[in-house]
Amino acid sequence: MSRALGLLWTLDSGPWTLFQAARMSYFEALKHQPVLWDEAVDALQPKPGGRYADGTFGGGGHTQLLLARSAPDGRVIAFDLDADAIQRGKALMLGDQLVLVHASFATLREAAAAAEMLPLDGVLLDLGFSSFQIDDPARGFSLRLDGPLDMRFDTAAGPSAADLVNELDEQSLADLIWRYGEERQSRRIAAAIVRARQRERIETTGQLASIVERATDGARGRIHPATRTFQALRIAVNDELNALSLALEAAVASLAPGGRLAVISFHSLEDRIVKQFIARESATCVCPPEQPVCTCQTVPRLRPVGKPIKPSDEEIERNPRSRSAIMRVAERLPER
Ligand SMILES: C[S@@+](CC[C@H](N)C(=O)[O-])C[C@H]1O[C@@H](n2cnc3c(N)ncnc32)[C@H](O)[C@@H]1O
């Protein structure tokens, strides 16, 4: 299939337009719109025979475009913690050009080595949850659709959000909501959760959303008052920031010289980690500023590529969920 897509890609505007229409209707049927779709794949500069890692397969939008743009013999190793996403990937039947891994992107280097795909020519991370997950009340990510308070990407592993809100002590809950949600009313919210759970266990997204709403006196601006609390719980349940740091390190260690890293973040905590990582890995000197002469002989491993990229107004209008996205790109430098 990817061979055919690649052929269409290289032909003139007739088949190309057909291909564009086909891919749009495929994803519209799935109600799935990859964020910064072309921009992210362009950033990796795919080439025939290239080897790429998509750390966040989701609905497979970026992976499929990467395969099309690296046809006829490009390969992608794609990861997802969500078993449903891996099943969707298998249904695409893309043969051995796509290796699907049901594991965290933090394991990127070992998995790519096992698949004999090192070194890689590009790594993409499109962080957070997919529309499949947020739109399914049973997954517990949405504060607008009532469902079990779960929030695990991998539903077979680790404590759920309900376990955290019902079992953490008040101080730990407040710290978590402050640290991962940057929520100024974290203490008040944690106290309200602890009071509420003394009456009955908090099992649903609806229960939690209304506890937070009452504790914070309702709406604030355009976002629901429980948005930051939900974000904090999701990050904690999936250990997201730690996994991101591990994946960035694994990506740099796996890239060939000239290979590209592209990361799409959706909130400032993620973006800060990516920005600081790229800055650290691009530094040519880490000596203390008061030292007159450099003695550290630091060899940078990355070069930042361009400015951070945000979705166009047209994309935000078509897909409002893309509005907080920001993509940073860096290139692997040769070892000296
Ligand atoms: C925004 S979606 C990716 C969408 C995808 N780029 C597409 O085009 O369809 C993010 C996906 O990453 C997965 N994910 C989040 N954290 C992960 C991790 N640490 N390891 C592997 N997958 C992860 C989620 O389960 C979700 O399916």
Side-chain angles (χ1 to χ4, degrees):
M1 177 171 173
S2 61
R3 264 170 224 276
L5 292 183
L7 184 62
L8 281 177
W9 200 270
T10 56
L11 292 175
D12 270 327
S13 63
W16 164 241
T17 309
L18 271 179
F19 173 63
Q20 288 278 35
R23 76 176 179 147
M24 282 320 292
S25 58
Y26 171 77
F27 284 103
E28 265 157 28
L30 286 176
K31 297 255 177 292
H32 175 63
Q33 304 195 40
V35 171
L36 293 171
W37 197 358
D38 289 290
E39 293 87 340
V41 173
D42 286 347
L44 299 189
Q45 299 185 319
K47 58 183 184 203
R51 292 183 271 199
Y52 305 93
D54 179 350
T56 47
F57 181 77
H62 289 110
T63 284
Q64 291 195 74
L65 191 52
L66 262 175
L67 282 172
R69 300 272 305 273
S70 59
D73 50 355
R75 294 182 73 203
V76 172
I77 179 165
F79 297 77
D80 211 296
L81 280 170
D82 187 333
D84 292 347
I86 298 297
Q87 276 314 113
R88 267 194 305 275
K90 286 186 180 154
L92 294 173
M93 295 193 294
L94 289 166
D96 59 5
Q97 283 175 287
L98 174 61
V99 178
L100 285 160
V101 184
H102 181 211
S104 171
F105 49 53
T107 65
L108 186 153
R109 187 166 162 77
E110 304 89 86
E116 300 186 354
M117 284 179 67
L118 290 180
L120 295 166
D121 297 297
V123 175
L124 173 65
L125 301 174
D126 173 18
L127 301 170
F129 48 64
S130 67
S131 36
F132 298 98
Q133 292 164 333
I134 186 87
D135 290 339
D136 179 357
R139 301 299 301 270
F141 288 102
S142 170
L143 51 73
R144 296 178 197 280
L145 307 170
D146 197 17
L149 189 56
D150 192 320
M151 300 196 195
R152 289 171 298 171
F153 292 135
D154 184 347
T155 53
S160 67
D163 294 332
L164 295 189
V165 296
N166 286 292
E167 284 156 32
L168 285 180
D169 62 63
E170 187 175 325
Q171 182 65 47
S172 308
L173 209 45
D175 289 349
L176 182 156
I177 296 169
W178 166 249
R179 186 169 335 129
Y180 297 141
E182 298 183 308
E183 168 62 71
R184 274 181 283 154
Q185 303 200 58
S186 57
R187 292 193 187 292
R188 206 199 266 213
I189 293 170
I193 289 173
V194 169
R195 271 196 309 279
R197 78 189 188 195
Q198 281 159 3
R199 291 192 293 277
E200 60 174 341
R201 196 176 148 88
I202 303 165
E203 294 283 8
T204 68
T205 52
Q207 270 175 290
L208 180 63
S210 59
I211 292 165
V212 177
E213 198 166 2
R214 282 197 302 275
T216 55
D217 306 324
R220 261 178 290 149
R222 280 170 49 217
I223 66 164
H224 189 286
T227 304
R228 290 173 178 279
T229 303
F230 270 61
Q231 173 187 303
L233 284 166
R234 199 200 78 214
I235 291 175
V237 161
N238 297 293
D239 197 15
E240 289 181 36
L241 303 184
N242 190 34
L244 172 59
S245 297
L246 292 171
L248 293 173
E249 187 54 51
V252 175
S254 306
L255 282 170
R260 293 279 183 95
L261 167 67
V263 187
I264 305 173
S265 307
F266 289 85
H267 55 76
S268 56
L269 295 172
E270 287 169 346
D271 185 50
R272 203 172 303 147
I273 291 175
V274 178
K275 181 179 166 183
Q276 290 175 352
F277 180 82
I278 294 176
R280 205 167 47 243
E281 292 294 336
S282 314
T284 49
C285 171
V286 294
C287 293
E290 62 277 10
Q291 191 173 304
V293 180
C294 170
T295 51
C296 66
Q297 298 186 322
T298 297
V299 178
R301 295 194 296 171
L302 289 179
R303 170 182 82 81
V305 175
K307 292 203 161 99
I309 296 173
K310 295 185 175 176
S312 63
D313 292 345
E314 188 270 321
E315 175 166 2
I316 294 172
E317 193 173 328
R318 183 166 33 85
N319 177 15
R321 282 178 189 158
S322 69
R323 67 183 174 277
S324 49
I326 176 165
M327 178 173 73
R328 293 183 190 269
V329 182
E331 187 172 290
R332 180 73 161 98
L333 293 171
E335 310 274 355
R336 269 195 259 141

